[in-house]
Amino acid sequence: MAGVAGGTYAAMFFFNGWLFSSFEFTAGVNWIYLPAGMRLLLVLMFGLSGAIGISVSSALISVTVYFAHDPLTGLVAGFISGFAPYAIQKVMQRFAGLESSLYNINAVGLLQLTLIYAVATSFGHQAWFTLRGVTQDFWISTWPMFVGDLIGSLMVLYAAHAVVKLLRWRNAQAY
């Protein structure tokens, strides 16, 4: 499953670059970032295996596309990409009653999960980039990353939620 998660994430990354290149704030920070939603969805579906696949894929993308001159920055950014959603999933399971099967998630729970996730990923990435000297102004870079992660995540997760509801409805109609 790690390979599926990594490949899916990479495909979404390049698709997002093609589709929303005009929404780029700075290199790697977009006002609409669908891969953020794909990261969360894949971790919700595949758990630790998804986090590992996303981390490897994101690290490879980061090192080859953005940080060839500084592989450590790219490797840690990849780790944040994969394990921030995993950590948020675990927090939500422990403190908000999110079931690992996701059966009990509703639209409000999905919104809460997405908001917490967008805060965690944008702060995590930008804190690391600030420490490494990549980001000069933490807040100016964090805000567009937060917005992009939030919008992209909402688009992906609510689309997936709608598909699941449609499939459940069609299944109920078949019987």
Side-chain angles (χ1 to χ4, degrees):
M1 288 290 119
V4 170
T8 303
Y9 172 75
M12 182 63 86
F13 172 83
F14 290 109
F15 175 72
N16 194 85
W18 171 77
L19 187 62
F20 294 119
S21 62
S22 61
F23 290 96
E24 188 171 72
F25 176 74
T26 60
V29 178
N30 295 59
W31 287 102
I32 299 175
Y33 194 62
L34 298 175
M38 188 56 67
R39 289 189 306 232
L40 184 54
L41 180 63
L42 291 167
V43 167
L44 290 172
M45 290 172 45
F46 301 134
L48 181 59
S49 181
I52 291 168
I54 292 163
S55 290
V56 170
S57 180
S58 182
L60 289 171
I61 291 168
S62 293
V63 168
T64 58
V65 175
Y66 301 112
F67 301 111
H69 62 286
D70 184 9
L72 178 62
T73 298
L75 292 172
V76 174
F79 180 83
I80 293 167
S81 291
F83 283 94
Y86 184 71
I88 297 305
Q89 177 190 31
K90 293 302 174 191
V91 166
M92 293 295 287
Q93 286 173 339
R94 173 127 173 116
F95 297 108
L98 178 67
E99 294 177 9
S100 59
S101 68
L102 303 178
Y103 188 77
N104 68 333
I105 198 157
N106 58 26
V108 173
L110 200 55
L111 179 60
Q112 290 172 335
L113 175 69
T114 306
L115 280 168
I116 294 167
Y117 162 72
V119 167
T121 58
S122 60
F123 273 64
H125 277 101
Q126 292 306 317
W128 174 242
F129 294 153
T130 299
L131 285 172
R132 299 296 291 171
V134 175
T135 297
Q136 302 309 314
D137 188 320
F138 175 81
W139 292 110
I140 289 176
S141 296
T142 300
W143 176 246
M145 183 175 263
F146 166 76
V147 170
D149 285 2
L150 181 64
I151 292 171
S153 295
L154 289 172
M155 290 172 73
V156 169
L157 293 176
Y158 278 92
H161 186 67
V163 167
V164 168
K165 286 186 84 159
L166 177 65
L167 292 174
R168 285 184 184 160
W169 179 80
R170 287 188 62 203
N171 243 0
Q173 298 300 316
Y175 294 106

